[in-house]
Amino acid sequence: MKNPLTIPRWSPYAVGASIGVLSWITFVFMGKALGASTTAVRAAGAVERVVAKDHAENSAYIAKYLGSGETLKPVFDWQFMLVIALAIGAFIAARLAHASLKEHVPAIWTSRFGSSRGLRYGAAFLGGIILIIGARMAGGCTSGHGISGGLQLSTSAYVFMAAMFLGGVPTALLLYGRKGAACAVPASTDSTSTTEVTNA
């Protein structure tokens, strides 16, 4: 039997079940649901509190997460550490599995928009900004609504997931066209894997 810590890619069923168990643990020990996007609010609020303390403390939105006056809440809470640990854990997992994948511009993007790294990085950054704004407007991201909310059979979570697919599918078709799926995805994450591209 292979060591699960050295397998490059786990079964999605095992990962899904593990996330479910992790959610039980966070509910039991933290009294909170799994989520990530609030960390961005905490980080932005902490920076704003340094450069414009009065403005930050008078912002009802920031005060909701960081408190104000004599009731300040810690910036680095369990969720903040979770987000940091996600990156550290991913790095450790890749090292244990001896997996590496250097891909600056995905094949599917190259087939549609060319191989410019600047264009790709700019689009990814813009997409991230839109994503975090949307997540905060919805009161949570895919982990908050899609995982934690779904586990609790929350109506808002299912509305979020429906809206996510209703927005995501047309956007993907608009960006990559119907032939976008024809672009081959790397079969493995080792350094010898190749990417085949079919023009859309």
Side-chain angles (χ1 to χ4, degrees):
M1 179 179 178
K2 291 185 177 180
N3 183 345
L5 296 179
T6 61
I7 298 175
R9 188 173 297 175
W10 284 16
S11 160
Y13 303 107
V15 173
S18 300
I19 290 175
V21 173
L22 179 61
S23 294
W24 295 345
I25 294 172
T26 57
F27 275 122
V28 170
F29 291 102
M30 304 294 181
K32 300 281 187 179
L34 282 175
S37 62
T38 303
T39 299
V41 179
R42 288 182 176 278
V47 172
E48 187 169 341
R49 210 159 61 184
V50 171
V51 298
K53 182 178 179 181
D54 291 341
H55 184 271
E57 294 202 356
N58 289 324
S59 167
Y61 186 68
I62 294 176
K64 177 182 176 182
Y65 298 101
L66 294 180
S68 61
E70 302 297 323
T71 59
L72 292 179
K73 300 177 182 177
V75 174
F76 292 95
D77 67 345
W78 71 272
Q79 189 187 93
F80 208 116
M81 298 310 298
L82 170 68
V83 172
I84 294 174
L86 285 172
I88 296 173
F91 175 77
I92 293 174
R95 298 293 294 180
L96 289 175
H98 302 290
S100 65
L101 175 63
K102 293 182 180 179
E103 185 181 56
H104 296 283
V105 183
I108 191 172
W109 177 273
T110 302
S111 70
R112 190 73 168 176
F113 302 105
S115 58
S116 169
R117 290 188 185 185
L119 179 62
R120 172 58 184 165
Y121 294 166
F125 183 78
L126 178 62
I129 295 294
I130 294 173
L131 179 67
I132 192 62
I133 291 175
R136 298 319 303 164
M137 288 178 68
C141 59
T142 49
S143 56
H145 278 303
I147 297 174
S148 299
L151 287 173
Q152 298 173 79
L153 303 180
S154 167
T155 301
S156 63
Y158 288 102
V159 171
F160 169 86
M161 287 188 283
M164 183 175 67
F165 282 103
L166 287 174
V169 172
T171 301
L173 290 173
L174 182 65
L175 285 174
Y176 299 115
R178 290 182 174 275
K179 295 181 179 179
C183 295
V185 174
S188 67
T189 56
D190 62 34
S191 59
T192 60
S193 65
T194 58
T195 303
E196 297 178 2
V197 178
T198 301
N199 292 332

